[in-house]
mmCIF file of all heavy atoms in Angstrom:
data_model
loop_
_atom_site.group_PDB
_atom_site.id
_atom_site.type_symbol
_atom_site.label_atom_id
_atom_site.label_comp_id
_atom_site.label_asym_id
_atom_site.label_seq_id
_atom_site.Cartn_x
_atom_site.Cartn_y
_atom_site.Cartn_z
ATOM 1 N N ASP A 167 0.850 -1.182 0.044
ATOM 2 C CA ASP A 167 -0.013 -0.026 -0.029
ATOM 3 C C ASP A 167 0.808 1.163 0.054
ATOM 4 O O ASP A 167 2.096 1.194 0.327
ATOM 5 C CB ASP A 167 -0.925 -0.011 1.229
ATOM 6 C CG ASP A 167 -1.985 -1.174 1.205
ATOM 7 O OD1 ASP A 167 -2.327 -1.526 0.218
ATOM 8 O OD2 ASP A 167 -2.098 -1.758 2.375
ATOM 9 N N SER A 168 0.390 2.395 -0.373
ATOM 10 C CA SER A 168 0.997 3.624 -0.381
ATOM 11 C C SER A 168 2.229 3.622 -1.070
ATOM 12 O O SER A 168 3.333 3.945 -0.633
ATOM 13 C CB SER A 168 1.217 4.197 1.031
ATOM 14 O OG SER A 168 0.001 4.240 1.703
ATOM 15 N N LEU A 169 2.321 2.913 -2.180
ATOM 16 C CA LEU A 169 3.536 2.765 -3.134
ATOM 17 C C LEU A 169 4.155 4.011 -3.398
ATOM 18 O O LEU A 169 3.496 5.014 -3.624
ATOM 19 C CB LEU A 169 3.163 1.952 -4.249
ATOM 20 C CG LEU A 169 2.905 0.486 -3.998
ATOM 21 C CD1 LEU A 169 2.279 -0.234 -5.112
ATOM 22 C CD2 LEU A 169 4.294 -0.287 -3.705
ATOM 23 N N LYS A 170 5.556 3.939 -3.540
ATOM 24 C CA LYS A 170 6.336 5.139 -3.731
ATOM 25 C C LYS A 170 7.201 4.784 -4.987
ATOM 26 O O LYS A 170 7.477 3.618 -5.167
ATOM 27 C CB LYS A 170 7.160 5.589 -2.534
ATOM 28 C CG LYS A 170 6.468 5.671 -1.200
ATOM 29 C CD LYS A 170 7.543 5.916 -0.044
ATOM 30 C CE LYS A 170 6.677 6.230 1.139
ATOM 31 N NZ LYS A 170 7.655 6.436 2.318
ATOM 32 N N PRO A 171 7.607 5.846 -5.657
ATOM 33 C CA PRO A 171 8.539 5.541 -6.818
ATOM 34 C C PRO A 171 9.778 4.667 -6.448
ATOM 35 O O PRO A 171 10.280 3.757 -7.283
ATOM 36 C CB PRO A 171 8.927 6.966 -7.313
ATOM 37 C CG PRO A 171 7.715 7.726 -7.043
ATOM 38 C CD PRO A 171 7.409 7.170 -5.690
ATOM 39 N N GLU A 172 10.264 4.886 -5.266
ATOM 40 C CA GLU A 172 11.363 4.162 -4.798
ATOM 41 C C GLU A 172 11.141 2.695 -4.498
ATOM 42 O O GLU A 172 12.049 1.883 -4.192
ATOM 43 C CB GLU A 172 12.048 4.761 -3.645
ATOM 44 C CG GLU A 172 11.167 5.146 -2.424
ATOM 45 C CD GLU A 172 10.658 6.565 -2.499
ATOM 46 O OE1 GLU A 172 10.294 6.954 -3.579
ATOM 47 O OE2 GLU A 172 10.501 7.034 -1.333
ATOM 48 N N ASP A 173 9.917 2.254 -4.624
ATOM 49 C CA ASP A 173 9.586 0.804 -4.436
ATOM 50 C C ASP A 173 9.717 0.058 -5.841
ATOM 51 O O ASP A 173 9.524 -1.185 -5.829
ATOM 52 C CB ASP A 173 8.063 0.686 -4.005
ATOM 53 C CG ASP A 173 7.897 1.126 -2.515
ATOM 54 O OD1 ASP A 173 8.797 0.903 -1.740
ATOM 55 O OD2 ASP A 173 6.918 1.938 -2.307
ATOM 56 N N THR A 174 9.908 0.815 -6.897
ATOM 57 C CA THR A 174 10.143 0.229 -8.145
ATOM 58 C C THR A 174 11.265 -0.694 -8.201
ATOM 59 O O THR A 174 12.380 -0.419 -7.820
ATOM 60 C CB THR A 174 10.461 1.344 -9.177
ATOM 61 O OG1 THR A 174 9.189 2.121 -9.330
ATOM 62 C CG2 THR A 174 10.676 0.770 -10.568
ATOM 63 N N ALA A 175 10.943 -1.978 -8.677
ATOM 64 C CA ALA A 175 12.008 -3.044 -8.509
ATOM 65 C C ALA A 175 11.352 -4.373 -9.176
ATOM 66 O O ALA A 175 10.123 -4.434 -9.249
ATOM 67 C CB ALA A 175 12.584 -3.234 -7.149
ATOM 68 N N VAL A 176 12.159 -5.280 -9.243
ATOM 69 C CA VAL A 176 11.755 -6.680 -9.566
ATOM 70 C C VAL A 176 11.577 -7.252 -8.099
ATOM 71 O O VAL A 176 12.601 -7.281 -7.382
ATOM 72 C CB VAL A 176 12.637 -7.451 -10.377
ATOM 73 C CG1 VAL A 176 12.081 -8.935 -10.546
ATOM 74 C CG2 VAL A 176 12.823 -6.808 -11.777
ATOM 75 N N TYR A 177 10.389 -7.918 -7.854
ATOM 76 C CA TYR A 177 10.158 -8.443 -6.604
ATOM 77 C C TYR A 177 10.257 -9.960 -6.651
ATOM 78 O O TYR A 177 9.688 -10.544 -7.596
ATOM 79 C CB TYR A 177 8.815 -8.024 -6.018
ATOM 80 C CG TYR A 177 8.805 -6.595 -5.550
ATOM 81 C CD1 TYR A 177 8.911 -5.544 -6.397
ATOM 82 C CD2 TYR A 177 8.704 -6.459 -4.157
ATOM 83 C CE1 TYR A 177 8.949 -4.299 -5.771
ATOM 84 C CE2 TYR A 177 8.804 -5.216 -3.638
ATOM 85 C CZ TYR A 177 8.897 -4.139 -4.471
ATOM 86 O OH TYR A 177 8.954 -2.792 -3.943
ATOM 87 N N TYR A 178 10.932 -10.555 -5.734
ATOM 88 C CA TYR A 178 11.203 -12.107 -5.749
ATOM 89 C C TYR A 178 10.614 -12.664 -4.543
ATOM 90 O O TYR A 178 10.842 -12.153 -3.511
ATOM 91 C CB TYR A 178 12.689 -12.392 -5.846
ATOM 92 C CG TYR A 178 13.399 -11.831 -7.107
ATOM 93 C CD1 TYR A 178 13.954 -10.630 -7.108
ATOM 94 C CD2 TYR A 178 13.450 -12.722 -8.235
ATOM 95 C CE1 TYR A 178 14.597 -10.160 -8.263
ATOM 96 C CE2 TYR A 178 14.144 -12.228 -9.383
ATOM 97 C CZ TYR A 178 14.662 -10.956 -9.457
ATOM 98 O OH TYR A 178 15.340 -10.515 -10.513
ATOM 99 N N CYS A 179 10.119 -13.859 -4.613
ATOM 100 C CA CYS A 179 9.668 -14.653 -3.602
ATOM 101 C C CYS A 179 10.724 -15.631 -3.244
ATOM 102 O O CYS A 179 11.382 -16.116 -4.200
ATOM 103 C CB CYS A 179 8.357 -15.328 -3.877
ATOM 104 S SG CYS A 179 7.729 -16.471 -2.722
ATOM 105 N N ALA A 180 10.876 -15.937 -2.071
ATOM 106 C CA ALA A 180 12.032 -16.871 -1.703
ATOM 107 C C ALA A 180 11.611 -17.727 -0.412
ATOM 108 O O ALA A 180 10.918 -17.328 0.364
ATOM 109 C CB ALA A 180 13.234 -16.170 -1.402
ATOM 110 N N ALA A 181 12.146 -19.000 -0.444
ATOM 111 C CA ALA A 181 11.831 -19.918 0.772
ATOM 112 C C ALA A 181 13.189 -20.357 1.326
ATOM 113 O O ALA A 181 14.183 -20.614 0.697
ATOM 114 C CB ALA A 181 11.068 -21.027 0.216
ATOM 115 N N ASP A 182 13.177 -20.343 2.714
ATOM 116 C CA ASP A 182 14.404 -20.646 3.435
ATOM 117 C C ASP A 182 13.966 -22.008 4.255
ATOM 118 O O ASP A 182 13.071 -22.004 5.055
ATOM 119 C CB ASP A 182 14.744 -19.576 4.464
ATOM 120 C CG ASP A 182 15.895 -19.949 5.377
ATOM 121 O OD1 ASP A 182 16.352 -21.060 5.274
ATOM 122 O OD2 ASP A 182 16.212 -19.011 6.054
ATOM 123 N N ARG A 183 14.613 -23.001 3.868
ATOM 124 C CA ARG A 183 14.264 -24.367 4.457
ATOM 125 C C ARG A 183 15.039 -24.666 5.730
ATOM 126 O O ARG A 183 14.808 -25.795 6.362
ATOM 127 C CB ARG A 183 14.335 -25.501 3.508
ATOM 128 C CG ARG A 183 15.877 -25.580 3.100
ATOM 129 C CD ARG A 183 16.006 -26.769 2.075
ATOM 130 N NE ARG A 183 17.397 -26.903 1.616
ATOM 131 C CZ ARG A 183 17.788 -27.897 0.700
ATOM 132 N NH1 ARG A 183 16.933 -28.661 0.240
ATOM 133 N NH2 ARG A 183 19.161 -27.903 0.449
ATOM 134 N N ARG A 184 15.908 -23.816 6.191
ATOM 135 C CA ARG A 184 16.770 -24.193 7.261
ATOM 136 C C ARG A 184 16.140 -24.469 8.596
ATOM 137 O O ARG A 184 16.361 -25.250 9.361
ATOM 138 C CB ARG A 184 17.920 -23.036 7.483
ATOM 139 C CG ARG A 184 18.857 -22.738 6.287
ATOM 140 C CD ARG A 184 19.661 -21.654 6.687
ATOM 141 N NE ARG A 184 18.929 -20.409 6.795
ATOM 142 C CZ ARG A 184 19.324 -19.395 7.574
ATOM 143 N NH1 ARG A 184 20.497 -19.486 8.309
ATOM 144 N NH2 ARG A 184 18.574 -18.366 7.805
ATOM 145 N N GLY A 185 15.057 -23.653 8.945
ATOM 146 C CA GLY A 185 14.514 -23.722 10.197
ATOM 147 C C GLY A 185 13.334 -22.755 10.312
ATOM 148 O O GLY A 185 13.245 -21.760 9.511
ATOM 149 N N PRO A 186 12.452 -22.938 11.208
ATOM 150 C CA PRO A 186 11.321 -22.127 11.363
ATOM 151 C C PRO A 186 11.283 -20.926 12.237
ATOM 152 O O PRO A 186 10.252 -20.296 12.418
ATOM 153 C CB PRO A 186 10.224 -22.960 11.843
ATOM 154 C CG PRO A 186 11.078 -24.034 12.854
ATOM 155 C CD PRO A 186 12.418 -24.048 12.179
ATOM 156 N N ILE A 187 12.446 -20.540 12.651
ATOM 157 C CA ILE A 187 12.580 -19.496 13.749
ATOM 158 C C ILE A 187 13.153 -18.220 13.178
ATOM 159 O O ILE A 187 12.487 -17.164 13.448
ATOM 160 C CB ILE A 187 13.478 -20.005 14.928
ATOM 161 C CG1 ILE A 187 12.873 -21.330 15.512
ATOM 162 C CG2 ILE A 187 13.379 -18.904 15.981
ATOM 163 C CD1 ILE A 187 11.500 -21.214 15.986
ATOM 164 N N LEU A 188 14.186 -18.270 12.501
ATOM 165 C CA LEU A 188 14.915 -17.086 12.187
ATOM 166 C C LEU A 188 14.503 -16.579 10.722
ATOM 167 O O LEU A 188 14.495 -17.315 9.948
ATOM 168 C CB LEU A 188 16.470 -17.312 12.159
ATOM 169 C CG LEU A 188 17.409 -16.252 11.558
ATOM 170 C CD1 LEU A 188 17.350 -15.012 12.609
ATOM 171 C CD2 LEU A 188 18.778 -16.816 11.418
ATOM 172 N N ILE A 189 14.168 -15.268 10.676
ATOM 173 C CA ILE A 189 13.810 -14.666 9.348
ATOM 174 C C ILE A 189 15.192 -13.914 8.964
ATOM 175 O O ILE A 189 15.586 -12.872 9.495
ATOM 176 C CB ILE A 189 12.747 -13.682 9.530
ATOM 177 C CG1 ILE A 189 11.524 -14.317 9.998
ATOM 178 C CG2 ILE A 189 12.534 -12.883 8.096
ATOM 179 C CD1 ILE A 189 10.394 -13.391 10.256
ATOM 180 N N SER A 190 15.945 -14.552 7.975
ATOM 181 C CA SER A 190 17.184 -13.973 7.545
ATOM 182 C C SER A 190 16.848 -12.790 6.594
ATOM 183 O O SER A 190 15.884 -12.938 5.811
ATOM 184 C CB SER A 190 18.049 -15.034 6.918
ATOM 185 O OG SER A 190 19.199 -14.412 6.372
ATOM 186 N N ILE A 191 17.729 -11.787 6.527
ATOM 187 C CA ILE A 191 17.575 -10.737 5.654
ATOM 188 C C ILE A 191 18.613 -10.996 4.480
ATOM 189 O O ILE A 191 18.677 -10.216 3.549
ATOM 190 C CB ILE A 191 17.816 -9.349 6.185
ATOM 191 C CG1 ILE A 191 19.229 -9.191 6.797
ATOM 192 C CG2 ILE A 191 16.779 -9.054 7.351
ATOM 193 C CD1 ILE A 191 19.542 -7.789 7.215
ATOM 194 N N ASN A 192 19.369 -11.985 4.652
ATOM 195 C CA ASN A 192 20.440 -12.343 3.664
ATOM 196 C C ASN A 192 19.902 -13.194 2.390
ATOM 197 O O ASN A 192 19.429 -14.389 2.721
ATOM 198 C CB ASN A 192 21.632 -13.019 4.269
ATOM 199 C CG ASN A 192 22.147 -12.176 5.339
ATOM 200 O OD1 ASN A 192 22.526 -10.918 5.176
ATOM 201 N ND2 ASN A 192 22.507 -12.702 6.548
ATOM 202 N N ALA A 193 20.082 -12.815 1.229
ATOM 203 C CA ALA A 193 19.469 -13.548 0.093
ATOM 204 C C ALA A 193 20.234 -14.922 -0.039
ATOM 205 O O ALA A 193 19.599 -15.896 -0.298
ATOM 206 C CB ALA A 193 19.719 -12.823 -1.148
ATOM 207 N N GLY A 194 21.445 -15.120 0.436
ATOM 208 C CA GLY A 194 22.107 -16.259 0.331
ATOM 209 C C GLY A 194 21.578 -17.300 1.285
ATOM 210 O O GLY A 194 21.980 -18.565 1.152
ATOM 211 N N ASP A 195 20.812 -17.035 2.223
ATOM 212 C CA ASP A 195 20.306 -18.030 3.188
ATOM 213 C C ASP A 195 18.987 -18.562 2.664
ATOM 214 O O ASP A 195 18.524 -19.547 3.346
ATOM 215 C CB ASP A 195 19.977 -17.296 4.570
ATOM 216 C CG ASP A 195 21.233 -16.970 5.334
ATOM 217 O OD1 ASP A 195 22.240 -17.612 5.053
ATOM 218 O OD2 ASP A 195 21.234 -16.006 6.040
ATOM 219 N N TYR A 196 18.530 -18.134 1.572
ATOM 220 C CA TYR A 196 17.267 -18.761 1.000
ATOM 221 C C TYR A 196 17.522 -19.629 -0.054
ATOM 222 O O TYR A 196 18.535 -19.469 -1.001
ATOM 223 C CB TYR A 196 16.386 -17.543 0.496
ATOM 224 C CG TYR A 196 15.739 -16.769 1.477
ATOM 225 C CD1 TYR A 196 16.517 -15.838 2.341
ATOM 226 C CD2 TYR A 196 14.475 -16.971 1.954
ATOM 227 C CE1 TYR A 196 15.937 -15.147 3.271
ATOM 228 C CE2 TYR A 196 13.907 -16.235 3.049
ATOM 229 C CZ TYR A 196 14.686 -15.322 3.774
ATOM 230 O OH TYR A 196 14.175 -14.647 4.766
ATOM 231 N N ASP A 197 16.844 -20.843 -0.101
ATOM 232 C CA ASP A 197 17.139 -21.941 -0.898
ATOM 233 C C ASP A 197 16.372 -21.988 -2.266
ATOM 234 O O ASP A 197 16.921 -22.462 -3.314
ATOM 235 C CB ASP A 197 16.796 -23.172 -0.168
ATOM 236 C CG ASP A 197 17.591 -23.378 1.155
ATOM 237 O OD1 ASP A 197 18.752 -23.629 1.070
ATOM 238 O OD2 ASP A 197 16.870 -23.069 2.174
ATOM 239 N N TYR A 198 15.235 -21.398 -2.301
ATOM 240 C CA TYR A 198 14.389 -21.400 -3.473
ATOM 241 C C TYR A 198 13.982 -20.045 -3.859
ATOM 242 O O TYR A 198 13.650 -19.301 -3.003
ATOM 243 C CB TYR A 198 13.235 -22.436 -3.336
ATOM 244 C CG TYR A 198 13.545 -23.809 -2.827
ATOM 245 C CD1 TYR A 198 13.350 -24.134 -1.547
ATOM 246 C CD2 TYR A 198 14.095 -24.747 -3.769
ATOM 247 C CE1 TYR A 198 13.660 -25.470 -1.092
ATOM 248 C CE2 TYR A 198 14.455 -25.916 -3.371
ATOM 249 C CZ TYR A 198 14.118 -26.279 -2.057
ATOM 250 O OH TYR A 198 14.576 -27.651 -1.634
ATOM 251 N N TRP A 199 13.930 -19.682 -5.147
ATOM 252 C CA TRP A 199 13.505 -18.429 -5.665
ATOM 253 C C TRP A 199 12.616 -18.518 -6.836
ATOM 254 O O TRP A 199 12.665 -19.418 -7.665
ATOM 255 C CB TRP A 199 14.752 -17.767 -6.036
ATOM 256 C CG TRP A 199 15.715 -17.335 -4.993
ATOM 257 C CD1 TRP A 199 16.703 -18.139 -4.467
ATOM 258 C CD2 TRP A 199 15.751 -16.186 -4.317
ATOM 259 N NE1 TRP A 199 17.363 -17.476 -3.379
ATOM 260 C CE2 TRP A 199 16.727 -16.191 -3.275
ATOM 261 C CE3 TRP A 199 15.072 -14.901 -4.339
ATOM 262 C CZ2 TRP A 199 17.022 -15.122 -2.380
ATOM 263 C CZ3 TRP A 199 15.334 -13.883 -3.496
ATOM 264 C CH2 TRP A 199 16.304 -14.050 -2.555
ATOM 265 N N GLY A 200 11.886 -17.513 -6.842
ATOM 266 C CA GLY A 200 10.881 -17.376 -8.039
ATOM 267 C C GLY A 200 11.655 -16.537 -9.130
ATOM 268 O O GLY A 200 12.819 -16.172 -8.931
ATOM 269 N N GLN A 201 10.941 -16.396 -10.230
ATOM 270 C CA GLN A 201 11.675 -15.662 -11.308
ATOM 271 C C GLN A 201 11.495 -14.156 -11.313
ATOM 272 O O GLN A 201 12.098 -13.416 -12.012
ATOM 273 C CB GLN A 201 11.074 -16.141 -12.675
ATOM 274 C CG GLN A 201 9.685 -15.454 -13.068
ATOM 275 C CD GLN A 201 8.501 -15.856 -12.171
ATOM 276 O OE1 GLN A 201 8.573 -16.885 -11.454
ATOM 277 N NE2 GLN A 201 7.474 -15.097 -12.302
ATOM 278 N N GLY A 202 10.638 -13.749 -10.467
ATOM 279 C CA GLY A 202 10.470 -12.285 -10.173
ATOM 280 C C GLY A 202 9.315 -11.700 -10.885
ATOM 281 O O GLY A 202 8.910 -12.136 -12.045
ATOM 282 N N THR A 203 8.819 -10.520 -10.409
ATOM 283 C CA THR A 203 7.710 -9.802 -11.063
ATOM 284 C C THR A 203 8.043 -8.380 -10.918
ATOM 285 O O THR A 203 8.390 -7.925 -9.903
ATOM 286 C CB THR A 203 6.349 -10.187 -10.401
ATOM 287 O OG1 THR A 203 5.391 -9.525 -11.185
ATOM 288 C CG2 THR A 203 6.282 -9.787 -8.948
ATOM 289 N N GLN A 204 7.794 -7.553 -11.973
ATOM 290 C CA GLN A 204 8.221 -6.144 -12.018
ATOM 291 C C GLN A 204 7.116 -5.361 -11.435
ATOM 292 O O GLN A 204 5.960 -5.526 -11.750
ATOM 293 C CB GLN A 204 8.399 -5.786 -13.423
ATOM 294 C CG GLN A 204 8.778 -4.234 -13.629
ATOM 295 C CD GLN A 204 10.173 -3.946 -13.133
ATOM 296 O OE1 GLN A 204 11.129 -4.590 -13.384
ATOM 297 N NE2 GLN A 204 10.281 -2.875 -12.281
ATOM 298 N N VAL A 205 7.514 -4.541 -10.520
ATOM 299 C CA VAL A 205 6.593 -3.424 -10.039
ATOM 300 C C VAL A 205 7.307 -2.097 -10.415
ATOM 301 O O VAL A 205 8.423 -1.868 -10.025
ATOM 302 C CB VAL A 205 6.610 -3.583 -8.450
ATOM 303 C CG1 VAL A 205 5.744 -2.551 -7.897
ATOM 304 C CG2 VAL A 205 5.894 -4.925 -8.033
#
């Protein structure tokens, strides 16, 4: 909501199978990725 021009990017969904507790901000910690969608 309330989108801004600086939100413009390709958005990717990712899944981290390591464990159910920690939400990592590092892309390298995610195992599966989608192809992305442009916003």
Side-chain angles (χ1 to χ4, degrees):
D167 299 321
S168 302
L169 282 161
K170 303 176 180 180
E172 51 263 44
D173 294 318
T174 295
V176 177
Y177 282 72
Y178 298 90
C179 176
D182 178 359
R183 62 180 179 178
R184 295 176 302 151
I187 305 297
L188 176 65
I189 301 174
S190 175
I191 65 170
N192 298 313
D195 288 333
Y196 288 75
D197 304 285
Y198 304 107
W199 291 85
Q201 83 290 345
T203 185
Q204 176 71 47
V205 172

